[in-house]
Amino acid sequence: MLRILKVPLTDAADALSTLPAAALVRATNRLTSKIGPADKPGSLSVSPVVDGGFLPEHPLDAFMKGRSAPVPLVLGTMAREGALFARIVDILPSTPDRIEKMFAVTDPEAQSRVLAAYPGYPSKEQSVEISGDLVFWYPSTVVAESHALVAPTWSYRYDFATPMMNLLGFGATHAMDVPVMFGETREPITRALSLLGGAAAMKGLSARFQGTLLSLAKTGSPGDDWPRYEPVQRRTRIFDREDRIESDPFPERRRAWAGYRGYL
C-alpha cells in the first residue's frame, strides 16, 4: 500500500491519517484487484489483522475452540458464490494458475484431494466453484459445525436464480440474497434480473426468508420446518422456488477441504 501511495515507511502513520480518502480508496482498489490475486492468490490484500489485542485470534480459531458467543445463529452461502467475482470483481483464485499457485505456497498436500472433489477441473466452471467454496462455503461449514456445539445453529444454501441471472452466467451468486432478505424485490436491480420471469417466485421466497429470520429474532428459532444443523447429519435448508432440507450437501467437497487453513 505504501509503495502504491509512494510514501516512505517512516512517514506511514502521518500519511495514512492525512491523505485524502479518495487516494486511499484508489490505492486499496489497485492493491486488491491487481497485486493480491497474482502474488498471493486466495488471500485478501486488505483485511483485519490478528494483533492479540483488538482482534485476539482468528475468528475461525475462536469458533473451533468453542469460544464463540453462545447465541442462536443462522448462516448460509449462495450456490455459486464465486461467479460474481469471476465476472466483475476479479479478486478470488478462480483460474487454474491461481488455484495451483495458492496450494503450492500454502498446503501442497491438499491440492490433489481438493481438486479431485471437483470433477471437470480445470474447467472454468469448476475453477470458479473452487474459489467460492474456499472463501465462503467451506469456512461457513467450519463455523456451523463448531457453533452447533455451543448454541442452536441453522444453516442454509441459497439456490434461487431467475432466468436472467442464469443467462448472464451468475446463477445464485454472491449477495443476491440481500435484496430478498430485506424484501426489496421491486428495486431496479431485482426488476431487471426478473425481466425474463421469476418475479413472483422471488417475492414468495422473500416472504419465506424474512419469515424465518423474524421468527429467529422473536422466538429464538427460525421455525419448526427448519431442523438445526449438527455435525452428523448437517441438515441444511435450501432456499429455492420450493425450499427443501438436504443432509450434508457436497460431503466430498467438505471432506476434501477439511484441515485446509490457507495462509494462516
Side-chain angles (χ1 to χ4, degrees):
M1 174 75 85
L2 295 176
R3 286 198 299 269
I4 294 172
L5 292 168
K6 298 181 180 179
V7 172
L9 182 60
T10 53
D11 298 335
D14 288 340
L16 293 176
S17 61
T18 58
L19 281 170
L24 296 177
V25 170
R26 286 193 299 270
T28 299
N29 287 340
R30 183 181 173 198
L31 180 66
T32 301
S33 62
K34 302 297 183 183
I35 299 175
D39 289 353
K40 294 184 67 175
S43 68
L44 293 177
S45 300
V46 180
S47 64
V49 176
V50 176
D51 62 358
F54 182 80
L55 186 61
E57 62 184 332
H58 194 284
L60 283 182
D61 290 327
F63 276 101
M64 289 190 292
K65 295 174 182 177
R67 291 202 280 262
S68 56
V71 296
L73 173 67
V74 167
L75 76 164
T77 56
M78 308 297 288
R80 300 198 67 231
E81 288 280 5
L84 176 73
F85 296 91
R87 298 178 68 87
I88 296 180
V89 188
D90 187 23
I91 61 174
L92 300 186
S94 54
T95 65
D97 285 348
R98 290 183 186 176
I99 291 168
E100 291 167 23
K101 180 177 181 179
M102 176 189 74
F103 281 118
V105 299
T106 58
D107 188 349
E109 294 183 1
Q111 178 173 319
S112 60
R113 72 170 188 266
V114 171
L115 299 186
Y118 294 84
Y121 179 85
S123 70
K124 179 178 180 180
E125 179 179 353
Q126 291 303 302
S127 298
V128 171
E129 287 290 297
I130 289 171
S131 70
D133 287 355
L134 164 72
V135 177
F136 299 100
W137 176 73
Y138 174 62
S140 81
T141 68
V142 173
V143 169
E145 68 184 24
S146 301
H147 195 70
L149 302 177
V150 174
T153 302
W154 294 267
S155 177
Y156 73 85
R157 191 182 75 221
Y158 187 103
D159 282 17
F160 176 81
T162 65
M164 178 67 81
M165 292 163 68
N166 288 328
L167 181 64
L168 293 173
F170 291 117
T173 195
H174 184 73
M176 288 297 101
D177 55 340
V178 175
V180 172
M181 179 176 64
F182 286 103
E184 298 174 343
T185 59
R186 298 302 295 163
E187 294 298 311
I189 181 64
T190 48
R191 292 177 66 180
L193 293 173
S194 302
L195 287 175
L196 299 180
M202 185 186 295
K203 183 177 180 180
L205 173 55
S206 179
R208 298 195 305 278
F209 202 1
Q210 287 186 313
T212 62
L213 299 180
L214 290 172
S215 176
L216 176 71
K218 184 176 181 180
T219 70
S221 167
D224 294 337
D225 59 344
W226 189 347
R228 292 184 185 181
Y229 188 95
E230 41 72 34
V232 178
Q233 290 188 313
R234 303 174 184 272
R235 289 177 293 183
T236 300
R237 182 163 180 165
I238 311 300
F239 282 104
D240 207 337
R241 283 170 173 77
E242 293 185 3
D243 301 346
R244 63 189 186 276
I245 303 296
E246 287 188 8
S247 293
D248 198 7
F250 303 120
E252 296 83 3
R253 294 186 184 184
R254 177 180 57 77
R255 287 191 290 266
W257 282 108
Y260 181 73
R261 298 303 305 274
Y263 293 93
L264 297 180

Short mmCIF file of all heavy atoms in Angstrom, two decimals, residues 95-128:
data_model
loop_
_atom_site.label_atom_id
_atom_site.label_comp_id
_atom_site.label_asym_id
_atom_site.label_seq_id
_atom_site.Cartn_x
_atom_site.Cartn_y
_atom_site.Cartn_z
N THR A 95 -8.95 -19.23 -11.32
CA THR A 95 -8.34 -19.81 -12.52
C THR A 95 -7.39 -20.92 -12.07
O THR A 95 -6.87 -20.88 -10.95
CB THR A 95 -7.55 -18.76 -13.32
OG1 THR A 95 -6.43 -18.32 -12.53
CG2 THR A 95 -8.42 -17.56 -13.68
N PRO A 96 -7.14 -21.90 -12.93
CA PRO A 96 -6.21 -22.97 -12.55
C PRO A 96 -4.84 -22.46 -12.12
O PRO A 96 -4.26 -22.97 -11.16
CB PRO A 96 -6.12 -23.82 -13.82
CG PRO A 96 -7.45 -23.62 -14.49
CD PRO A 96 -7.80 -22.18 -14.23
N ASP A 97 -4.30 -21.44 -12.79
CA ASP A 97 -2.99 -20.91 -12.41
C ASP A 97 -3.00 -20.39 -10.98
O ASP A 97 -2.09 -20.68 -10.19
CB ASP A 97 -2.58 -19.79 -13.37
CG ASP A 97 -2.14 -20.32 -14.73
OD1 ASP A 97 -1.93 -21.54 -14.84
OD2 ASP A 97 -2.02 -19.52 -15.67
N ARG A 98 -4.02 -19.61 -10.65
CA ARG A 98 -4.10 -19.05 -9.29
C ARG A 98 -4.33 -20.15 -8.26
O ARG A 98 -3.73 -20.15 -7.18
CB ARG A 98 -5.22 -18.01 -9.21
CG ARG A 98 -4.95 -16.73 -9.96
CD ARG A 98 -6.09 -15.76 -9.74
NE ARG A 98 -5.96 -14.55 -10.54
CZ ARG A 98 -6.86 -13.58 -10.58
NH1 ARG A 98 -7.97 -13.69 -9.85
NH2 ARG A 98 -6.68 -12.52 -11.34
N ILE A 99 -5.23 -21.07 -8.57
CA ILE A 99 -5.55 -22.14 -7.62
C ILE A 99 -4.32 -22.98 -7.31
O ILE A 99 -4.01 -23.25 -6.14
CB ILE A 99 -6.68 -23.01 -8.20
CG1 ILE A 99 -8.00 -22.23 -8.23
CG2 ILE A 99 -6.85 -24.30 -7.38
CD1 ILE A 99 -9.10 -22.89 -9.02
N GLU A 100 -3.60 -23.37 -8.34
CA GLU A 100 -2.45 -24.25 -8.12
C GLU A 100 -1.28 -23.51 -7.47
O GLU A 100 -0.53 -24.09 -6.68
CB GLU A 100 -2.07 -24.90 -9.44
CG GLU A 100 -3.15 -25.90 -9.89
CD GLU A 100 -3.03 -26.38 -11.31
OE1 GLU A 100 -1.91 -26.32 -11.85
OE2 GLU A 100 -4.04 -26.79 -11.88
N LYS A 101 -1.14 -22.22 -7.76
CA LYS A 101 -0.12 -21.42 -7.07
C LYS A 101 -0.48 -21.30 -5.59
O LYS A 101 0.40 -21.39 -4.71
CB LYS A 101 0.00 -20.04 -7.70
CG LYS A 101 1.05 -19.16 -7.04
CD LYS A 101 1.19 -17.82 -7.73
CE LYS A 101 2.26 -16.95 -7.06
NZ LYS A 101 2.42 -15.64 -7.74
N MET A 102 -1.76 -21.10 -5.30
CA MET A 102 -2.20 -20.98 -3.92
C MET A 102 -1.85 -22.24 -3.12
O MET A 102 -1.28 -22.17 -2.03
CB MET A 102 -3.71 -20.74 -3.88
CG MET A 102 -4.30 -20.71 -2.47
SD MET A 102 -6.11 -20.69 -2.50
CE MET A 102 -6.47 -22.40 -2.96
N PHE A 103 -2.18 -23.40 -3.68
CA PHE A 103 -1.88 -24.64 -2.97
C PHE A 103 -0.37 -24.85 -2.84
O PHE A 103 0.12 -25.34 -1.81
CB PHE A 103 -2.51 -25.83 -3.68
CG PHE A 103 -3.97 -26.00 -3.40
CD1 PHE A 103 -4.90 -25.92 -4.42
CD2 PHE A 103 -4.43 -26.24 -2.11
CE1 PHE A 103 -6.26 -26.07 -4.16
CE2 PHE A 103 -5.78 -26.40 -1.84
CZ PHE A 103 -6.70 -26.31 -2.87
N ALA A 104 0.37 -24.47 -3.87
CA ALA A 104 1.82 -24.68 -3.85
C ALA A 104 2.48 -23.95 -2.70
O ALA A 104 3.45 -24.45 -2.11
CB ALA A 104 2.44 -24.25 -5.18
N VAL A 105 1.97 -22.77 -2.35
CA VAL A 105 2.62 -21.98 -1.30
C VAL A 105 1.93 -22.10 0.06
O VAL A 105 2.43 -21.58 1.05
CB VAL A 105 2.70 -20.49 -1.70
CG1 VAL A 105 3.52 -20.31 -2.96
CG2 VAL A 105 1.31 -19.89 -1.88
N THR A 106 0.78 -22.79 0.12
CA THR A 106 0.08 -22.91 1.39
C THR A 106 0.04 -24.35 1.90
O THR A 106 0.42 -24.62 3.04
CB THR A 106 -1.36 -22.39 1.29
OG1 THR A 106 -2.08 -23.12 0.27
CG2 THR A 106 -1.37 -20.90 0.96
N ASP A 107 -0.40 -25.28 1.07
CA ASP A 107 -0.56 -26.66 1.51
C ASP A 107 -0.54 -27.58 0.29
O ASP A 107 -1.57 -28.02 -0.19
CB ASP A 107 -1.89 -26.81 2.27
CG ASP A 107 -2.04 -28.17 2.94
OD1 ASP A 107 -1.23 -29.07 2.66
OD2 ASP A 107 -2.98 -28.34 3.73
N PRO A 108 0.65 -27.89 -0.22
CA PRO A 108 0.74 -28.70 -1.44
C PRO A 108 0.05 -30.05 -1.33
O PRO A 108 -0.50 -30.56 -2.33
CB PRO A 108 2.25 -28.87 -1.62
CG PRO A 108 2.86 -27.70 -0.92
CD PRO A 108 1.98 -27.45 0.26
N GLU A 109 0.05 -30.65 -0.15
CA GLU A 109 -0.57 -31.96 0.01
C GLU A 109 -2.09 -31.92 -0.14
O GLU A 109 -2.72 -32.94 -0.45
CB GLU A 109 -0.20 -32.55 1.36
CG GLU A 109 1.29 -32.87 1.51
CD GLU A 109 1.61 -33.52 2.84
OE1 GLU A 109 0.66 -33.72 3.64
OE2 GLU A 109 2.79 -33.81 3.09
N ALA A 110 -2.69 -30.75 0.07
CA ALA A 110 -4.14 -30.64 -0.04
C ALA A 110 -4.61 -30.53 -1.49
O ALA A 110 -5.77 -30.79 -1.79
CB ALA A 110 -4.62 -29.42 0.74
N GLN A 111 -3.71 -30.16 -2.39
CA GLN A 111 -4.13 -29.86 -3.75
C GLN A 111 -4.82 -31.03 -4.43
O GLN A 111 -5.93 -30.87 -4.97
CB GLN A 111 -2.93 -29.42 -4.60
CG GLN A 111 -3.32 -29.14 -6.05
CD GLN A 111 -2.18 -28.54 -6.84
OE1 GLN A 111 -1.47 -27.68 -6.35
NE2 GLN A 111 -1.99 -29.00 -8.08
N SER A 112 -4.22 -32.20 -4.42
CA SER A 112 -4.78 -33.32 -5.16
C SER A 112 -6.14 -33.74 -4.63
O SER A 112 -7.05 -34.02 -5.41
CB SER A 112 -3.81 -34.51 -5.15
OG SER A 112 -3.56 -34.93 -3.81
N ARG A 113 -6.31 -33.76 -3.31
CA ARG A 113 -7.59 -34.21 -2.77
C ARG A 113 -8.69 -33.18 -3.01
O ARG A 113 -9.84 -33.55 -3.27
CB ARG A 113 -7.47 -34.55 -1.29
CG ARG A 113 -7.32 -33.39 -0.34
CD ARG A 113 -7.46 -33.80 1.13
NE ARG A 113 -7.50 -32.66 2.00
CZ ARG A 113 -6.45 -32.15 2.60
NH1 ARG A 113 -5.24 -32.70 2.42
NH2 ARG A 113 -6.58 -31.09 3.39
N VAL A 114 -8.35 -31.88 -2.93
CA VAL A 114 -9.36 -30.86 -3.17
C VAL A 114 -9.78 -30.85 -4.64
O VAL A 114 -10.97 -30.86 -4.96
CB VAL A 114 -8.86 -29.47 -2.74
CG1 VAL A 114 -9.83 -28.38 -3.20
CG2 VAL A 114 -8.69 -29.41 -1.23
N LEU A 115 -8.81 -30.85 -5.53
CA LEU A 115 -9.14 -30.79 -6.96
C LEU A 115 -9.93 -32.03 -7.39
O LEU A 115 -10.79 -31.95 -8.28
CB LEU A 115 -7.87 -30.64 -7.79
CG LEU A 115 -7.04 -29.37 -7.51
CD1 LEU A 115 -5.90 -29.27 -8.51
CD2 LEU A 115 -7.91 -28.12 -7.54
N ALA A 116 -9.66 -33.18 -6.77
CA ALA A 116 -10.38 -34.41 -7.13
C ALA A 116 -11.85 -34.32 -6.75
O ALA A 116 -12.68 -35.07 -7.30
CB ALA A 116 -9.73 -35.60 -6.43
N ALA A 117 -12.20 -33.42 -5.84
CA ALA A 117 -13.59 -33.27 -5.41
C ALA A 117 -14.41 -32.41 -6.37
O ALA A 117 -15.61 -32.23 -6.16
CB ALA A 117 -13.64 -32.67 -4.01
N TYR A 118 -13.75 -31.93 -7.43
CA TYR A 118 -14.44 -31.08 -8.41
C TYR A 118 -14.28 -31.70 -9.80
O TYR A 118 -13.41 -31.29 -10.58
CB TYR A 118 -13.87 -29.66 -8.38
CG TYR A 118 -14.14 -28.95 -7.08
CD1 TYR A 118 -13.30 -29.14 -5.98
CD2 TYR A 118 -15.24 -28.11 -6.94
CE1 TYR A 118 -13.55 -28.52 -4.77
CE2 TYR A 118 -15.49 -27.48 -5.73
CZ TYR A 118 -14.65 -27.68 -4.65
OH TYR A 118 -14.90 -27.07 -3.45
N PRO A 119 -15.09 -32.71 -10.12
CA PRO A 119 -15.00 -33.35 -11.44
C PRO A 119 -15.13 -32.33 -12.56
O PRO A 119 -16.01 -31.47 -12.53
CB PRO A 119 -16.18 -34.33 -11.42
CG PRO A 119 -16.44 -34.59 -9.97
CD PRO A 119 -16.13 -33.29 -9.28
N GLY A 120 -14.25 -32.41 -13.51
CA GLY A 120 -14.26 -31.44 -14.60
C GLY A 120 -13.18 -30.38 -14.49
O GLY A 120 -12.89 -29.67 -15.46
N TYR A 121 -12.57 -30.26 -13.30
CA TYR A 121 -11.45 -29.34 -13.17
C TYR A 121 -10.34 -29.78 -14.12
O TYR A 121 -10.09 -30.98 -14.26
CB TYR A 121 -10.92 -29.33 -11.73
CG TYR A 121 -9.74 -28.42 -11.54
CD1 TYR A 121 -9.91 -27.08 -11.28
CD2 TYR A 121 -8.43 -28.92 -11.67
CE1 TYR A 121 -8.81 -26.24 -11.14
CE2 TYR A 121 -7.34 -28.09 -11.52
CZ TYR A 121 -7.54 -26.75 -11.26
OH TYR A 121 -6.46 -25.92 -11.13
N PRO A 122 -9.68 -28.86 -14.85
CA PRO A 122 -9.59 -27.41 -14.66
C PRO A 122 -10.54 -26.58 -15.51
O PRO A 122 -10.14 -25.52 -16.01
CB PRO A 122 -8.13 -27.13 -15.03
CG PRO A 122 -7.87 -28.11 -16.14
CD PRO A 122 -8.64 -29.35 -15.78
N SER A 123 -11.76 -27.00 -15.70
CA SER A 123 -12.71 -26.18 -16.44
C SER A 123 -12.95 -24.87 -15.72
O SER A 123 -12.74 -24.75 -14.50
CB SER A 123 -14.04 -26.93 -16.59
OG SER A 123 -14.70 -27.01 -15.34
N LYS A 124 -13.41 -23.87 -16.47
CA LYS A 124 -13.68 -22.56 -15.88
C LYS A 124 -14.74 -22.67 -14.80
O LYS A 124 -14.61 -22.08 -13.72
CB LYS A 124 -14.13 -21.58 -16.97
CG LYS A 124 -14.44 -20.19 -16.44
CD LYS A 124 -14.84 -19.24 -17.55
CE LYS A 124 -15.15 -17.85 -17.00
NZ LYS A 124 -15.54 -16.90 -18.09
N GLU A 125 -15.80 -23.44 -15.07
CA GLU A 125 -16.89 -23.56 -14.11
C GLU A 125 -16.41 -24.14 -12.79
O GLU A 125 -16.72 -23.62 -11.70
CB GLU A 125 -18.01 -24.43 -14.67
CG GLU A 125 -19.17 -24.62 -13.70
CD GLU A 125 -20.29 -25.46 -14.28
OE1 GLU A 125 -20.22 -25.79 -15.48
OE2 GLU A 125 -21.23 -25.79 -13.53
N GLN A 126 -15.62 -25.21 -12.85
CA GLN A 126 -15.16 -25.83 -11.62
C GLN A 126 -14.12 -24.98 -10.90
O GLN A 126 -14.05 -24.97 -9.67
CB GLN A 126 -14.60 -27.22 -11.92
CG GLN A 126 -15.67 -28.22 -12.34
CD GLN A 126 -16.76 -28.36 -11.30
OE1 GLN A 126 -16.50 -28.70 -10.15
NE2 GLN A 126 -18.00 -28.10 -11.70
N SER A 127 -13.32 -24.24 -11.65
CA SER A 127 -12.36 -23.33 -11.02
C SER A 127 -13.08 -22.25 -10.24
O SER A 127 -12.67 -21.89 -9.12
CB SER A 127 -11.46 -22.70 -12.09
OG SER A 127 -10.70 -23.69 -12.76
N VAL A 128 -14.16 -21.74 -10.80
CA VAL A 128 -14.97 -20.72 -10.11
C VAL A 128 -15.63 -21.32 -8.88
O VAL A 128 -15.72 -20.68 -7.82
CB VAL A 128 -16.00 -20.11 -11.07
CG1 VAL A 128 -16.99 -19.22 -10.31
CG2 VAL A 128 -15.30 -19.30 -12.16
#
